[in-house]
Amino acid sequence: MLFEVRCPGCHALGWCPCAECIGALSDPEPASVPGAESVALLFSHDGVGREFIHALKYRGERAIARWLGESLALAHLAAPSQGSIDTAAALPARIDTVTWAPTTAAHRRSRGFDQAETLARTTAKALRVRPARLLRRIGTRAQSGASRTERLHGPRFNARVRVAGRRILLVDDVLTTGATLRAATAALLDARAASVHVAACARRGHDGAASVA
């Protein structure tokens, strides 16, 4: 059985996403995540970029998930280390494991999946490394719909076993204040991960200083 594939940006039948919508993506504001050795971002969370994220997050469209995961893998390989002076000489970081910052149990039940996990698994496949669930979310408060003040406090995470010594790529769909990725990175480093690199699809807004992200 054949299934229709439509671009989530313009809904045209064919490639997902189409070349025109890829070209319409806006560059993201830069961001850093304390503790992470590099941060890779694909596009700004507006216009076509927002439609891509909604297709993944709320409709679970497999074609855009695959494209986003492959794009995150390429973006990570191209991302210089934070604080690197000679970015042209920076080499891609070796990764042992790809993981994700899990969503709340309520969101997973309502959507039927965790979009960050979907991204992590497609990214891992593109990088030819193994994905693993390394983090456990503490509490039930979601970042979606929260105020900026609430977002800045962020969620909390505990790292699971078998983290020590791993070089980890941490994947998420959207970076807003960066509180989720900051907390997840800290949990992995507290569990003695060798290094943590971050890759997110979209950057929402700008906080006035990239270092607070």
Side-chain angles (χ1 to χ4, degrees):
M1 183 179 294
L2 298 178
F3 294 89
E4 283 189 349
V5 175
R6 291 184 179 273
C7 173
C10 64
H11 308 292
L13 186 64
W15 294 101
C16 177
C18 70
E20 288 79 7
C21 284
I22 293 173
L25 293 169
S26 301
D27 291 336
E29 294 282 355
S32 64
V33 175
E37 293 201 6
S38 67
V39 177
L41 299 168
L42 298 181
F43 48 77
S44 176
H45 188 272
D46 55 23
V48 173
R50 182 173 57 248
E51 294 304 315
F52 285 10
I53 295 300
H54 284 192
L56 166 74
K57 194 168 186 175
Y58 302 115
R59 301 194 297 275
E61 295 183 10
R62 294 182 181 181
I64 193 63
R66 182 169 59 252
W67 183 84
L68 289 170
E70 292 170 352
S71 298
L72 286 176
L74 291 173
H76 160 68
L77 293 174
S81 296
Q82 293 189 161
S84 173
I85 296 175
D86 185 4
T87 57
L91 297 175
R94 290 184 60 191
I95 294 297
D96 300 313
T97 306
V98 179
T99 195
W100 60 95
T103 190
T104 64
H107 277 172
R108 188 181 182 99
R109 285 193 300 270
S110 65
R111 296 169 187 164
F113 70 104
D114 184 334
Q115 73 277 358
E117 178 180 357
T118 298
L119 284 173
R121 293 190 181 280
T122 56
T123 303
K125 184 176 181 180
L127 290 171
R128 298 184 179 180
V129 298
R130 181 174 298 179
R133 187 190 302 271
L134 298 181
L135 293 166
R136 181 174 65 88
R137 194 179 187 111
I138 302 171
T140 59
R141 189 179 69 185
Q143 292 289 84
S144 298
S147 67
R148 173 173 166 76
T149 300
E150 291 170 334
R151 282 180 178 273
L152 285 171
H153 287 291
R156 293 183 298 146
F157 298 96
N158 277 341
R160 299 160 68 96
V161 296
R162 302 185 300 278
V163 172
R166 291 195 190 189
R167 295 163 293 192
I168 298 169
L169 177 61
L170 174 64
V171 169
D172 206 359
D173 59 337
V174 179
L175 186 154
T176 303
T177 65
T180 295
L181 291 169
R182 182 171 63 242
T185 297
L188 292 169
L189 292 175
D190 287 346
R192 302 178 63 187
S195 61
V196 178
H197 299 261
V198 167
C201 296
R203 171 78 158 108
R204 180 189 282 125
H206 183 47
D207 299 319
S211 61
V212 304

